[in-house]
Structure formats: structure tokens, C-alpha cells
Amino acid sequence: MSERRLPPVVARMWGRETSPRHGPRPSLDLARIVDAAIRIADRDGLDGVRMSSVAREVGMATMSLYRYVGSKDELLIAMADAAAPEPPALDGRAWRDYLTDWTRANRDFLLGRPWLLALGQHTPPAGPRALRWLDRALAALAGTGLGHGERINIATTLTGYATRQASLAHALNVAAAGEPIAGLTEYADILGEVLDPDGYPALTEAVHANAFGVAEEWIDDADFTFGLDLLLDGIQALIDRRREH
Amino acid sequence: MSERRLPPVVARMWGRETSPRHGPRPSLDLARIVDAAIRIADRDGLDGVRMSSVAREVGMATMSLYRYVGSKDELLIAMADAAAPEPPALDGRAWRDYLTDWTRANRDFLLGRPWLLALGQHTPPAGPRALRWLDRALAALAGTGLGHGERINIATTLTGYATRQASLAHALNVAAAGEPIAGLTEYADILGEVLDPDGYPALTEAVHANAFGVAEEWIDDADFTFGLDLLLDGIQALIDRRREH
DNA sequence: AGGGATTCTGTACCACGTACGCTGTATCGC
DNA sequence: GCGATACAGCGTACGTGGTACAGAATCCCT
């Protein structure tokens, strides 16, 4: 009744296959196709993922794939979910420890499969894997006294942070590819060339202070931790405020 | 010398046109093309932006555009920068007031031009507009005693937050389109249908507690402010820590 | 004045997603 | 069992959209 909005492939991701009574058995399943597509994306990037190349990888004709996915877009949606690993185990850790780990793991698998970033998967999570990630974050926040809505909100914010960090790190890595040294230094050089101090006073100052050179750790863990701690400190403050009431 | 990495169109965005000695004068400039493309995107969405449609809009042949942009991708990059408005004026406000405004304005213009989200513009900022946004945020943080690197970091994190919020809000708005009631309620229904309590204990509990129904304000300003305050509280804590030293 | 670089354009090509219809096959009703 | 039926797999063909290429028109420079 409400399945209308979500892509049909989501239903299939949950195993809601309407097993038909008539006809030959399917020689494949969605998972095998999605795995093949992910293998190609890992090897050749997202551009390498074509209906024809996926079909070749699973040993079928191109058009046969359309028995399993409604369109290429649906395939990409299924890929986005299946490409994520399982979330870290909670193991009774305190919320802050766990969420630090969780967020870092989130960023890391995005960096390991950069094509996930290009996918622009900005939809609310609907696949089994994505929801398991959400579930674990909520579980970690269970003892904090925060409301359900707040917990969801926090999980969302942290995923957003992980995604953003991964995007930036990847963009800089790509920019730096070929040159052993760095992407950021070069970025700063370009800024220096192009900026006029009148229109961009604060930026110019930052560039001259070599802020970007120093911030080479933008890609780095130190920097990741920095921003993450901003968020976690904020969450901590919220928890404390709630407890005082 | 270091221009190698950035797309050539970036140079043109900064007016670094190498005015040639010979030949007919160009009858157009990059800005006019980009404006036309933005107009189309606003009207017909990103799919409406085709080299042919943009050319028609400016009254030229399709291939003529390639005198101004190296490829469609370059055009999209230029659009991403030009489509942003100017950042809010600082007006001597305190950093927290200003950055609240700044982040909200950031989210708002993304919501006003949702195709910017589809663009997946996850590159470090390089256009004049994007850098002006960065510059203003840095200026707002000038009196805080934070280092340049930290300020850049904060600005980055806040843009990330604005982007994420805009993405979610837009995704839910789209999902809700057609049905007057809501996207989130429906989302919760689907989750309820599909979830098994064993694999997703915390999520199931949240759904049963109607957390999503209550969190209908996900799209809402209350929710936006909630997450933003988490960040700002974290920043405040950092400033205080620095001051104590 | 004329040479050469540069703009604009039409044509053509190629890549890719996918609609359509055919063929074979496995299950169901009798 | 036996035909009817529905569905899997697939080959062909089309449409769309980016862009390479080459010719013609244009205008600056010497």
C-alpha cells in the first residue's frame, strides 16, 4: 500500500520476491547481479558499470538483467546498500567510544569504494545494511536519556559528517594523484594565484598564514577527529542538559 | 604552473580569459552560457540541461558552446558556483549568530535549487562565490582565538551539515510529493512493514515509539537547529578550552 | 592587402539505456 | 499425461545525448 514511493528494487533487496507459480526458474538472483556490479565498480569505477558489462560479468545477455532490476538506477540503489559492510559491533561500549568507531568506519568504507560517493546516495536509508548501521547507532545511544527523535537525528548528522569527510579526502587524493607530494599545497597555490585580497580578506590571510599547508591533515585522522569531537562534545552537552532536568 | 589539476573552466570563471590577438570576437561569454544553463535547470531540472538545450537558450548552435567550455562536466562545475547567492553580510555579528545564519542560508539556497544537490559537488571550493562563502565564515571566526586550520575546518563541517540537511529535506519532500500528508510517516510505515525485530531491535523500538512520526520535523527548522546547535556547542567548547590556556 | 588564427556551425559518429517481441521452458489445470 | 499459460532469456533496434571533425566565415596583425 505504501510501497509506491520506494523503488521496487528495495522490495527485492529485502527478499520480498514474489515467487511465481509458472515458468522456468530464474537462473540468477538480484544479489549475484549486484555483486558483479560492485566488483566492476571496484575495478573500473562507476563509469565501468554498464548494463552490458554487468551482464557479461554474470554471463548473461544485457537485456536479461531487466528481469531482476527495473532500470540501471535501481541497480545503483541496490549497489549502494550492498557495498556497505556490517557496522562495528557494539560490545557494550559507551556511546561516545562506539560512535567514534562507527563514524570512522563509515568514512573508511566510503574511502575504500569512492564510487559510492559519486553515487550521491542522499536518500534516507532503506536497505538492510544501511538500516543496520542506523540500528546500531540508536542502540549505542539507548542509555543516554535522549529521545528517539534526537537519537535518529544524531545518527543522521554523524553519517553526514562521515560522508563529507570522505568526499573531501577523496577529492584531494584525486587532485594529488600523479604528484607524490600533495593536493592541498597545490590547492593553496592556486588560491594564492587567483585571490584578490580585497574581495577575500580573511581567506587571503589564511592562505598567507599557510593554513592550508598546515592543514594538510585535512585528509588526515587528526582532522577527522577534530570535527567529530566538535559534534560529540555537542552531543555530550545535550545529554548533560537533559540529565539536569 | 599548478593550474594543471583544476578544470580549465575554473580559470575562465575567474576571468582569466586569454584574450586572443587574432580572429573574430566571441559573441558570447561564459557567464551568459552558465546563466542560461541555470535558468534551464531551475525550470526543467538537471535532466533538462543538455548541450543542445543550453545552446538553444543562448541562440547558438550546440557545438559553439565548446568554444567556452571544455565539456558538459565543466559547464556543470561553473553552474555550481554561479548558482550560489552571495553569503550573508557579517555586520559585526558574533560568530555564533553569524554562522547560524550562514549555515541556514547555505541550506536554503540548496533547497531552492535542488539540482545543486544532484550535482554532487563534493570538490573543495574553487569558484569565486564558493570562496566568498568560505571567506565570510573565516572572518566571523577571526576573533575567537582559533587557528586558521581550525577555522577552515569548522567552515567545512558546517557546509557539510547544510548540504546534508538539504539533501534529506529534499529527498523527503520528493517522496511526499503527490500525497498531501507526509513523506516521513510513510517512510515509517514502510520500515514497520519490512523490519524484523531481531535484526533491528533499536530501530524497531524507535518505529514503535513513533519516533519518525514525531520527528516529522526532520524537514523542519526545529530539527535543523537541533543538529546545528550540537555543532556550535562543540565549537564553543573548543573556544573555551583554547581560552583557558 | 593578404595571412593566419579563431569563431561558429553542420554533419556524423559512438556509447549506452532500454522497449519490444520472439523462443524455449517449467508448472498448473484438467 | 497434455495443452494452456506465464515467465526466463535474449537479439534487434531505436532514441538520446555528448562530442570529434572539418569547412566556412570573420577579423586582427603586419
Side-chain angles (χ1 to χ4, degrees), chain A residues 4-6 125 128 132 135 148 153 156 168 175 179 186-187 190 200 202-203 211 218 223 230 233-234 241, chain B residues 2 4-6 125 128 132 135 148 153 156 168 175 179 186-187 190 200 202-203 211 218 223 230 233-234 241:
Chain A
R4 225 169 314 143
R5 298 277 158 246
L6 268 321
R132 210 130 49 212
D135 183 79
H148 287 292
N153 215 304
T156 300
L168 281 177
E179 314 230 336
E186 187 173 16
Y187 180 63
I190 295 168
Y200 305 83
L203 230 198
W218 225 356
D223 188 83
L230 290 186
D233 286 349
R241 233 179 296 143
Chain B
S2 26
R4 226 169 316 143
R5 298 278 158 244
L6 268 322
R132 210 129 51 212
D135 183 80
H148 287 293
N153 215 304
T156 302
L168 281 177
E179 314 232 335
E186 186 172 16
Y187 180 61
I190 294 168
Y200 305 83
L203 229 198
W218 224 356
D223 188 84
L230 291 186
D233 286 349
R241 233 179 297 145

Side-chain angles (χ1 to χ4, degrees), chain A residues 57-80:
Chain A
E57 181 87 9
V58 295
M60 295 188 62
T62 303
M63 290 311 292
S64 304
L65 297 182
Y66 286 91
R67 294 280 157 197
Y68 300 87
V69 295
S71 68
K72 184 180 180 179
D73 282 335
E74 283 194 10
L75 174 58
L76 294 177
I77 290 174
M79 288 171 68

Side-chain angles (χ1 to χ4, degrees), chain A residues 104 106-114 117 160-177 181-184 187 215-225, chain B residues 121-125 153 156:
Chain A
R104 191 189 310 273
N106 194 331
R107 179 203 58 171
D108 286 344
F109 81 72
L110 290 174
L111 281 178
R113 300 201 205 262
L117 297 168
Y161 181 72
T163 308
R164 179 80 187 173
Q165 287 301 114
S167 286
L168 281 177
H170 181 249
L172 290 173
N173 282 339
V174 166
I181 324 214
L184 253 192
Y187 180 63
E216 189 71 39
E217 347 97 44
W218 225 356
I219 320 175
D220 197 300
D221 237 51
D223 188 83
F224 177 79
T225 308
Chain B
Q121 184 66 19
H122 293 306
T123 341
N153 215 304
T156 302

